[in-house]
Amino acid sequence: MPSILTVTEITVRYGERAVLDAATLGIEEGDRIGLVGRNGCGKTTFLRILAGLQSPDSGDVSRRRDLVVSYLPQDFMLDAVKSVEENIRAGAQHVLNLITEFESLPHDSCRDEAERRRAKRHEELEHRIQSLEGWTLDRRIETAMSHLNCPEGERRIESLSGGEKRRVAMCRAIVSRPDFLMLDEPTNHLDPESIEWVAEFLEDFGGTFLVATHDRYFLDRVVKRMVELSDGRFFRHDGNYTDYLLDKAERQAADATIEHKRQMFLKKELAWVRQGPRAQRSKQKNRFERYYDTAAQAGPVIEEDVELCIPPPPALGNRVVELSNLGMELGGRTLFRGFNFTFQNGQRIGIAGRNGLGKTTLLKIIISELKPTGGTVKVGQLTRFNYVDQGRLQLREERTALEEVSDGTEFVIFGDGKISVRSYLRRFLFADERITTQVKYLSGGERSRLLLARVLKNGGNFLILDEPTNDLDLPTLRVLEEALIAFPGVVCVVSHDRYFLNRVCTDILAFEGDGKIHHSAGDYDYYLEKRQRAVVAASRESAVILSTNKSAALLRAAATTKAGKPRKLSFKEARELEGMEAQIHAVEAEVTRIEGLFAQPDFFRKHALQVNQLTAELDVAKENVTKLYVRWEELEAIKSAASPTVCD
């Protein structure tokens, strides 16, 4: 495939540290790339260079002529004085410019050379607009805003929450149909249904894309090539995230073998040097040079993992937390009602569901920050909460990482002992110079690790984490998962990360809408599997009810016809009856299509995140079928009653 963009020997330094060190990478047309690497390794810097927002210290970046690039950064840029829809449309400004130029040019018959040139330009613009699907821009904006749950188009950006701004920025990035799309952590703050839609969008995307994300299921689904940025260099791996893990393990094993041979050689040569050999001068000199050359070679970089140290919690009592007939209403809307649940020691509860259904509200009720509108919360006397909130508002920009954690003390209480604050921060992968760096200069991942370090030092035996996976890199995520699995208390986690929920959780509390919270023992995949089986069973039961309703409707229509004076169909009713059969076939086909999806062996793999959406669509389609059949029988009964009886 032809190359659309190439970076050659680029270098970027921040002080003494090179985040990109003579790095080279080629991106081909049609590539579907997942970019991974530790936070702070230079991923965002690299994306900014590709987007033309930053220049490398050295090296070359070459792009295909007329390449259209769209970029969703983590720190998205929106015009605060414009509305939501105006910001989204600005993402397709190059398309709007083409349409404006197209409409300004004449397209009548050509009389002179100048007009012929304008007509040729007119044809070129029309072809380009069609290739960018410019004529359907308004419909695509409307579709994207709907599936991403964007706020109303007339709202001002300054009035939006952080999550709403993220959705607007995502919508803005994808509506332009660019040649090359770059998304930096696109799944942050998106609910499962929105993530599913973005995944489907990328699967159908006709251009090239590069996505940097910690969402492992997302990477496994949408990418065909992985690129790891490590120690300033790029490592390419064909395949998805799982393939990358296997390739990386083989690469590290090969590096370890090479390093072992190097160390054995140095050990052998060092022993020879210490013997003080009196061999030939030239041979002795060559061995010395070979030894020093080998000793000067850099060994493989060993990646350090965060040693996430959660202080041992105090013992829990027999009662942890009991929720009885719990209900909550906000702004005239019922979030949940009649919810009963008893937390038990050793449980790791995953809370999942669409945004806006009340997940964070439930957490705040549990810790007594909010009062429920119905029911009670009973907390055990020995229960101690430790809450890591979603907003991450506790960090103070002007303070250093050390000051944020220490709060004026030099040690962190750890069980029956204590460790220094500096040692504690090193376990969260803070180098000495980063420990004394102000918060405002830390990366998103460093801020997240710092917040965890600050909150986790407070102990507690009931740990509550609201969206802890946002902004954490993959190595840190894996360590967090292991630490939570080993935590000897109660863990309650709100997350949209399926991989994380499956690894950590023993139970799922699923917010399913309509005020319902469903408890399911087991991991998230098992909950979805049970949900799928329940939908299929309900579908079969609904089919029986549908058949009964059709028979009842026929009897009612016949009785009505016999009891009253027959009348003829009106012109409008006659036309309605003519098209009724086609309508029924179309709606029944939709029911069959959705039921077929549920019956597919690979439904769970392809459509797991769409269970709620597909269930709602199936219910609506079946209700429409019932209504159409009832109406059809009524019209047929009127027609039959009005028809003259034919006698022999």
Side-chain angles (χ1 to χ4, degrees), residues 313-314 316 320-321 343-344 349 363 366-367 379 382-387 459-465 487 489-492:
L316 281 163
V320 181
V321 175
F343 291 91
Q344 298 178 354
I349 309 294
L363 299 184
I366 291 174
I367 63 176
V379 179
L382 299 180
T383 301
R384 300 291 180 269
F385 295 112
N386 194 345
Y387 178 46
N461 48 27
F462 195 118
L463 184 59
I464 300 177
L465 305 175
F487 183 68
V490 175
V491 175
C492 191

Side-chain angles (χ1 to χ4, degrees), residues 478-499:
R478 288 194 290 268
V479 176
L480 175 60
E481 290 164 356
E482 296 297 335
L484 294 180
I485 291 171
F487 183 68
V490 175
V491 175
C492 191
V493 183
V494 174
S495 179
H496 298 312
D497 189 325
R498 284 179 57 195
Y499 197 105

Side-chain angles (χ1 to χ4, degrees), residues 453-489:
R454 179 181 175 184
V455 175
L456 294 178
K457 74 164 189 173
N458 296 328
N461 48 27
F462 195 118
L463 184 59
I464 300 177
L465 305 175
D466 194 356
E467 293 288 1
T469 62
N470 288 343
D471 301 323
L472 292 184
D473 56 26
L474 293 172
T476 307
L477 263 178
R478 288 194 290 268
V479 176
L480 175 60
E481 290 164 356
E482 296 297 335
L484 294 180
I485 291 171
F487 183 68

Side-chain angles (χ1 to χ4, degrees), residues 323 326 328 335-336 339 343 351 357-368 370 377 464 492 494 509 511 517:
L323 309 179
L326 200 66
M328 187 66 180
L335 298 179
F336 46 85
F339 179 55
F343 291 91
I351 300 181
L357 294 183
K359 300 187 298 295
T360 298
T361 300
L362 177 63
L363 299 184
K364 292 185 176 181
I365 289 174
I366 291 174
I367 63 176
S368 300
L370 289 175
V377 178
I464 300 177
C492 191
V494 174
L509 293 181
F511 282 66
I517 304 176

Side-chain angles (χ1 to χ4, degrees), residues 246-263:
L246 296 173
D247 288 349
K248 182 176 181 180
E250 293 177 0
R251 188 185 86 212
Q252 290 177 330
D255 289 344
T257 300
I258 294 172
E259 177 63 9
H260 176 71
K261 291 180 179 179
R262 188 176 78 95
Q263 294 297 334

Side-chain angles (χ1 to χ4, degrees), residues 5-8 10 49-50 56 59-63:
L5 193 149
T6 303
V7 294
T8 307
I10 62 171
I49 290 173
L50 295 187
D60 296 318
V61 180
S62 59
R63 299 175 179 82

